[in-house]
C-alpha cells in the first residue's frame, strides 16, 4: 500500500494547472507523466529494461510504453483522450523488479472549455486522417491543415531554449532562441516545424563533414561547419568541401548516444544519454503549449550505414524508434521514422533496409499510442520507396519531397492521392527559398535569394502541391535548413535569422486562408488536371515552374480551387454542372487579397470559361489563384 501511494503521488501533471481542476483531475489531451524508480541498478537500462502501463478509459484500452530517463528513473507519458474515469497499471521486464511492477492509479479527465480550446488548438486532440483519408483533422473533427517550416537541427544548441518568452515585436536576428523563432513563425500562421531528433556522431572535429573510418564505412555525410577546415577531410561529395561537420549537441554539450573514444567518432547506438533528450523535452513542451504540431524525425540516413555494420540494426534501430515514441508519443505530432532525403550507396541504407527495421518496430511495439500520423521524409515518394498498406504496415501518411523540386513531382502526388486505402499526403521538401543547389533550380534557374522570382518558385510549389492532392498541408523550406547560427562563420548557406525573414515564409498563411476559405470542404477536393484546357502553355518546361495550371474539385462539382502559375494561359474548365452558375473569385497568393466575385455560367457541355486574369488578360503575368463555388438555385 505504501508503494502504491508513492506511485500515485508521483503522477506529475505536466500541463499548466487550471483552477477548476479538482484533486485527481486532469484535462483531456494534456500530457501526463508517471515516474518510477527501479529497485536495482542495471548495466544498460536502455537495453535491459522495458516498462509500460496498461491504460484504460472511455473507448480506450492499450499498452503505453515508457522510457529510461537516467539512473534508476523510468517514466511513462500518456494522455486521456476523452472525459471520464481512467486507470493504469504498470508492468515491466524484468518482472521481478519491485519498483517497476504492480503499481496502479486512477484519475478523472475533464474537457477543456471553449475559451481554453481557443487559446491552444492542440486541446482539440491529436491529429489523424480525415474520414475520407485524404486530409488531417484534430480528434474533435475540426480541420488541421499543416503549415510547416524546416528547422532540421532545432533539437540542438543551434536554436537554444532559454525559458523566456519572445517579445511581441521580436524580429529575427543574431542570438535568436528557440522560443523567439517559434513566436515569429506563429505570428505568420505556421502550426508546425520539422526537425531531426538526433545527430548521433556529428561534431566539429578533425574529420571531414563526410567521413569514413578505417574500415571504409561512412560514419556521417554531414552538413558543413563553415570556416572550420578539417585536416583529415577528403572530398567525397560534389560540393568539394573539406570542412568539418556541424556540431549537434544540446545546449549543455550532451549528445544523444555515447561515442566510442577510440573508434574515429563511431556512436554506440546501444547506449543512449537521456540528458540530451531531457533538453529536447523542453522544446517539445513549448511547441505543444504554443499550439504547434511538430514533424519529429528520428535520425538522418547517413548514420545508418555504421549502425548496420556494427550493431544488430533491425533490433537496435527499432529500440531507438521505440524510445522516441515512448518519450514523445504523448504529444501532438507527426512522426517520421527516418530522414531519407537521399538514398546514396555509401551514405545511406536502402529503402528496403529501413522498411525492414521500421516494420520490425511496428510488429514489436505497435504504432503510435494515440493514433498520430506516421511517415518519413523522403526523396521522391514514400510510395515509390516503401509501397503502400501491408508493404509498409507502419506507414499511415504518404509524402513526397527533395527531388524533383519542380513540375515533375506533381504526378507523384496525384499517384498518392489515388491509392487505396487513402492516406493523407504532403510535400515536405519543395523548392527552398535562397538555396543555390543543383536540385533546387527550376528550369535550370537560380534566382537571387529572397528576390521576387525566388519567392515565386516557393509559392508556386505551395499551391501546385496542395491542388495536386497533398491535402494534408505543406512544409516550407529555405537554404537555412541546417541552422547556421550565432557564433558561427557565415558560409554558402544563410544564417537562420536571415532566412526566417524571406518573404515566402510570410506568404504561407495565405495558402491556408485560400484552402480553408470554405471551411472543411477542401477535404473533399479531387485533383482534376485533365479538365483544364489547356493545362499548360506550349513549350512549358517539365522541370520548371512556369505556365502550368492546377484544378481540384469536389465530386459533386459544387466547389473547386484553381491555381495558375506565371505565364499560364486562360483556360476552359471541363466537367462542371451543365447550365449551372458559379461564383468565380480571384485570390492573390502574394498578398492574400480576394477580388470581387464574378458570376459565370457553365455551358450545356459543362464547360466553364475562365475570366481574363486580373493582370495579363489571356496570359497571367504573375501567379494567381481562384475559388469556384456553385451558386445555390435560391440565390439565382
Amino acid at each position: 500500500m505504501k508503494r502504491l501511494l508513492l506511485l500515485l503521488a508521483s503522477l506529475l501533471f505536466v500541463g499548466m494547472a487550471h483552477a477548476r481542476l479538482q484533486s485527481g483531475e486532469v484535462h483531456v489531451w494534456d500530457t501526463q507523466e508517471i515516474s518510477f524508480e527501479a529497485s536495482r541498478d542495471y548495466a544498460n537500462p536502455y537495453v535491459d529494461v522495458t516498462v509500460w502501463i496498461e491504460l484504460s478509459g472511455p473507448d480506450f484500452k492499450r499498452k503505453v510504453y515508457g522510457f529510461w530517463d537516467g539512473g534508476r528513473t523510468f517514466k511513462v507519458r500518456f494522455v486521456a483522450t476523452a472525459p471520464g474515469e481512467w486507470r493504469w497499471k504498470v508492468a515491466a521486464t524484468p518482472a521481478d523488479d519491485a519498483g517497476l511492477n504492480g503499481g496502479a492509479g486512477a484519475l478523472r479527465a475533464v474537457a477543456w472549455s471553449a475559451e481554453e480550446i481557443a487559446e491552444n488548438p492542440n486541446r482539440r486532440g491529436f491529429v489523424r486522417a480525415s474520414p475520407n483519408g485524404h486530409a488531417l483533422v484534430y480528434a474533435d473533427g475540426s480541420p488541421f491543415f499543416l503549415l510547416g517550416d524546416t528547422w532540421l537541427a532545432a533539437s540542438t544548441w543551434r536554436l537554444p531554449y532559454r525559458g523566456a518568452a519572445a517579445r511581441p515585436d521580436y524580429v529575427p536576428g543574431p542570438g535568436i532562441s528557440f522560443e523567439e523563432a517559434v513566436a515569429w513563425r506563429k505570428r505568420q500562421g505556421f502550426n508546425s516545424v520539422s526537425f531531426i531528433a538526433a545527430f548521433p556522431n556529428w561534431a566539429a572535429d578533425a574529420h571531414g563533414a563526410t567521413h569514413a573510418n578505417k574500415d571504409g564505412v561512412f560514419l556521417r555525410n554531414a552538413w558543413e561547419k563553415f570556416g572550420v577546415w578539417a585536416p583529415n577531410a577528403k572530398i567525397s561529395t560534389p560540393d568539394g568541401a573539406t570542412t568539418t561537420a556541424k556540431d549537434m549537441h544540446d545546449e549543455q554539450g550532451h549528445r544523444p548516444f555515447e561515442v566510442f573514444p577510440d573508434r574515429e567518432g563511431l556512436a554506440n547506438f546501444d547506449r543512449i544519454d537521456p540528458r540530451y533528450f531531457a533538453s529536447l523535452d523542453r522544446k517539445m513542451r513549448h511547441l505543444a503549449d504554443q499550439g504547434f504540431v511538430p514533424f519529429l524525425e528520428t535520425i538522418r540516413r547517413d548514420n545508418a550505414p555504421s549502425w548496420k555494420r556494427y550493431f544488430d540494426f533491425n533490433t537496435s534501430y527499432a529500440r531507438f524508434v521505440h524510445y522516441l515514441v515512448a518519450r514523445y508519443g504523448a504529444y501532438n505530432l507527426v512522426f517520421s521514422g527516418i530522414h531519407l532525403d537521399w538514398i546514396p550507396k555509401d551514405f545511406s541504407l536502402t529503402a528496403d533496409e529501413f522498411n525492414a527495421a521500421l516494420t520490425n518496430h511496428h510488429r514489436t511495439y505497435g504504432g503510435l499510442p494515440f493514433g498520430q500520423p506516421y511517415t518519413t521524409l523522403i526523396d521522391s515518394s514514400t510510395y515509390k520507396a516503401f509501397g503502400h498498406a501491408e508493404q509498409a504496415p507502419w506507414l499511415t501518411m504518404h509524402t513526397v519531397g527533395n527531388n524533383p523540386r519542380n513540375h515533375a513531382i506533381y504526378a507523384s502526388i496525384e499517384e498518392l492521392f489515388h491509392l487505396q486505402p487513402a492516406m493523407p499526403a504532403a510535400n515536405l521538401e519543395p523548392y527552398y527559398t535562397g538555396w543555390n543547389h543543383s536540385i533546387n533550380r527550376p528550369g535550370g534557374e537560380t534566382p537571387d535569394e529572397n528576390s521576387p522570382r525566388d519567392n515565386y518558385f516557393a509559392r508556386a510549389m505551395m499551391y501546385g502541391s496542395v491542388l495536386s492532392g497533398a491535402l494534408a498541408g505543406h512544409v516550407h523550406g529555405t537554404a537555412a535548413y541546417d541552422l547556421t547560427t550565432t557564433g558561427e562563420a557565415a558560409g554558402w548557406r544563410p544564417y537562420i535569422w536571415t532566412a526566417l525573414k524571406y518573404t515566402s515564409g510570410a506568404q504561407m498563411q495565405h495558402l491556408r486562408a485560400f484552402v480553408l476559405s470554405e471551411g472543411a470542404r477542401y477535404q473533399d477536393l479531387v485533383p482534376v488536371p485533365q479538365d483544364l484546357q489547356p493545362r499548360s502553355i506550349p513549350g512549358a518546361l517539365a522541370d520548371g515552374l512556369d505556365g502550368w495550371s492546377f484544378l481540384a474539385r469536389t465530386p459533386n462539382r459544387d466547389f473547386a480551387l484553381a491555381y495558375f502559375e506565371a505565364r499560364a494561359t486562360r483556360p476552359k474548365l471541363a466537367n462542371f454542372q451543365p447550365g449551372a452558375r458559379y461564383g468565380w473569385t480571384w485570390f492573390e497568393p502574394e498578398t492574400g487579397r480576394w477580388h470581387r466575385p464574378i458570376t459565370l455560367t457553365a455551358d450545356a457541355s459543362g464547360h466553364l470559361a475562365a475570366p481574363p486574369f486580373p493582370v495579363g488578360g489571356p496570359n497571367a503575368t504573375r501567379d494567381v489563384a481562384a475559388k469556384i463555388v456553385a451558386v445555390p438555385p435560391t440565390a439565382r
Side-chain angles (χ1 to χ4, degrees):
M1 177 62 70
K2 181 178 180 181
R3 181 164 58 85
L4 175 59
L5 292 173
L6 287 173
L7 288 169
L8 286 168
S10 70
L11 184 60
L12 303 177
F13 302 136
V14 180
M16 183 177 293
H18 289 256
R20 71 189 186 91
L21 289 178
Q22 304 298 313
S23 177
E25 289 185 343
V26 302
H27 278 119
V28 295
W29 300 113
D30 199 19
T31 306
Q32 311 301 321
E33 183 178 286
I34 315 169
S35 292
F36 304 95
E37 293 294 319
S39 62
R40 60 180 182 268
D41 294 323
Y42 293 89
N44 186 356
Y46 173 63
V47 171
D48 298 339
V49 180
T50 302
V51 64
W52 64 89
I53 60 170
E54 297 289 348
L55 178 66
S56 61
D59 298 318
F60 186 99
K61 185 175 182 179
R62 69 164 293 159
K63 182 182 291 187
V64 178
Y65 287 96
F67 59 93
W68 176 54
D69 200 37
R72 292 187 176 185
T73 301
F74 292 81
K75 295 180 178 180
V76 179
R77 289 176 180 160
F78 69 96
V79 292
T81 59
E85 302 299 322
W86 289 78
R87 297 185 178 277
W88 55 266
K89 183 176 180 179
V90 66
T93 54
D96 62 348
D97 190 311
L100 302 179
N101 287 274
L107 53 89
R108 178 182 298 107
V110 298
W112 296 96
S113 69
E115 293 79 10
E116 290 167 331
I117 291 174
E119 294 172 359
N120 186 340
N122 279 331
R123 293 166 181 169
R124 297 184 178 279
F126 291 176
V127 297
R128 59 200 57 196
S130 59
N132 69 4
H134 289 301
L136 294 173
V137 296
Y138 290 101
D140 70 356
S142 55
F144 174 76
F145 187 73
L146 181 77
L147 286 181
D149 199 19
T150 304
W151 303 351
L152 296 182
S155 57
T156 72
W157 69 276
R158 299 178 166 279
L159 275 181
Y161 180 85
R162 296 204 176 100
R167 301 187 314 270
D169 61 347
Y170 174 77
V171 176
I176 187 170
S177 70
F178 184 80
E179 298 96 316
E180 289 166 335
V182 170
W184 175 255
R185 282 308 196 212
K186 185 176 180 179
R187 280 162 51 190
Q188 294 177 326
F190 285 77
N191 57 20
S192 182
V193 290
S194 301
F195 58 94
I196 299 169
F199 299 82
N201 58 8
W202 289 23
D205 53 27
H207 302 295
T210 298
H211 165 51
N213 65 14
K214 292 182 177 65
D215 297 334
V217 177
F218 280 89
L219 304 187
R220 68 190 186 205
N221 171 224
W223 304 317
E224 308 88 349
K225 188 172 179 70
F226 307 128
V228 182
W229 304 95
N232 299 323
K234 296 179 181 178
I235 297 174
S236 56
T237 50
D239 57 25
T242 55
T243 61
T244 190
K246 272 185 160 57
D247 36 345
M248 296 294 188
H249 49 76
D250 73 359
E251 294 90 332
Q252 290 77 44
H254 304 130
R255 299 169 71 176
F257 293 89
E258 294 181 9
V259 176
F260 290 107
D262 56 352
R263 296 185 66 178
E264 304 173 80
L266 175 67
N268 185 343
F269 293 108
D270 284 341
R271 284 196 173 271
I272 211 162
D273 186 346
R275 295 174 299 178
Y276 172 90
F277 296 96
S279 298
L280 182 53
D281 287 351
R282 294 189 286 271
K283 293 179 176 179
M284 291 293 291
R285 182 72 242 180
H286 182 74
L287 289 168
D289 290 342
Q290 294 302 309
F292 276 58
V293 179
F295 186 88
L296 180 66
E297 306 195 76
T298 51
I299 60 162
R300 192 166 175 267
R301 40 85 193 160
D302 61 290
N303 290 124
S306 62
W307 203 324
K308 183 155 188 175
R309 175 65 176 270
Y310 301 110
F311 299 84
D312 179 356
F313 182 70
N314 280 5
T315 299
S316 181
Y317 191 70
R319 183 186 300 115
F320 178 60
V321 174
H322 165 67
Y323 186 86
L324 291 180
V325 171
R327 190 150 196 150
Y328 302 114
Y331 287 103
N332 204 3
L333 53 73
V334 178
F335 188 76
S336 172
I338 182 65
H339 182 93
L340 197 54
D341 61 310
W342 185 32
I343 313 178
K345 177 178 179 293
D346 291 328
F347 315 137
S348 177
L349 300 182
T350 66
D352 286 344
E353 288 172 309
F354 284 120
N355 192 13
L358 294 173
T359 297
N360 182 47
H361 168 262
H362 179 81
R363 289 173 177 164
T364 304
Y365 301 106
L368 271 71
F370 301 101
Q372 305 98 312
Y374 193 152
T375 187
T376 70
L377 182 136
I378 197 65
D379 179 59
S380 182
S381 156
T382 46
Y383 175 58
K384 289 181 173 66
F386 302 115
H388 184 65
E390 288 306 310
Q391 295 168 315
W394 49 274
L395 189 71
T396 63
M397 175 178 167
H398 276 297
T399 69
V400 300
N402 196 48
N403 194 12
R405 300 181 183 223
N406 50 50
H407 291 147
I409 198 65
Y410 297 134
S412 293
I413 300 177
E414 292 169 16
E415 180 179 49
L416 296 180
F417 184 88
H418 293 292
L419 294 173
Q420 292 296 326
M423 291 183 184
N427 189 340
L428 301 185
E429 286 201 308
Y431 178 86
Y432 275 10
T433 323
W435 192 31
N436 184 356
H437 194 282
S438 60
I439 65 171
N440 201 60
R441 293 174 186 152
E445 187 177 345
T446 303
D448 292 337
E449 68 173 301
N450 201 29
S451 64
R453 187 72 168 159
D454 193 29
N455 290 302
Y456 160 69
F457 282 154
R459 193 168 62 246
M461 291 215 75
M462 297 175 199
Y463 289 79
S465 296
V466 173
L467 296 190
S468 293
L471 299 181
H474 192 73
V475 175
H476 174 265
T478 70
Y481 58 83
D482 59 338
L483 302 197
T484 300
T485 192
T486 310
E488 294 186 297
W492 42 94
R493 290 185 294 275
Y495 287 115
I496 179 59
W497 57 83
T498 298
L500 285 172
K501 293 182 285 189
Y502 288 166
T503 304
S504 60
Q507 292 172 343
M508 280 279 283
Q509 60 193 307
H510 306 324
L511 173 67
R512 183 186 187 281
F514 176 67
V515 172
L516 271 71
S517 59
E518 294 291 315
R521 293 179 72 184
Y522 79 92
Q523 297 172 4
D524 294 324
L525 292 172
V526 177
V528 286
Q530 69 277 7
D531 287 344
L532 288 162
Q533 303 169 359
R535 169 76 192 276
S536 63
I537 59 173
L541 298 175
D543 67 349
L545 286 172
D546 289 304
W548 280 33
S549 301
F550 299 82
L551 180 65
R553 186 180 55 215
T554 55
N556 61 7
R557 299 178 291 173
D558 64 346
F559 171 53
L561 295 177
Y563 176 71
F564 305 93
E565 293 178 340
R567 306 177 192 173
T569 295
R570 177 186 173 190
K572 274 191 175 182
L573 284 61
N575 290 318
F576 280 77
Q577 298 173 16
R581 295 174 65 198
Y582 289 89
W584 181 293
T585 308
W586 290 113
F587 178 80
E588 301 285 353
E590 287 186 76
T591 64
R593 183 173 74 91
W594 292 96
H595 290 231
R596 290 176 179 268
I598 303 166
T599 301
L600 304 174
T601 302
D603 66 18
S605 299
H607 287 88
L608 198 66
F613 292 114
V615 179
N619 288 91
T621 57
R622 66 179 186 228
D623 64 314
V624 66
K627 178 171 68 171
I628 308 160
V629 181
V631 178
T634 56
R636 296 176 184 176

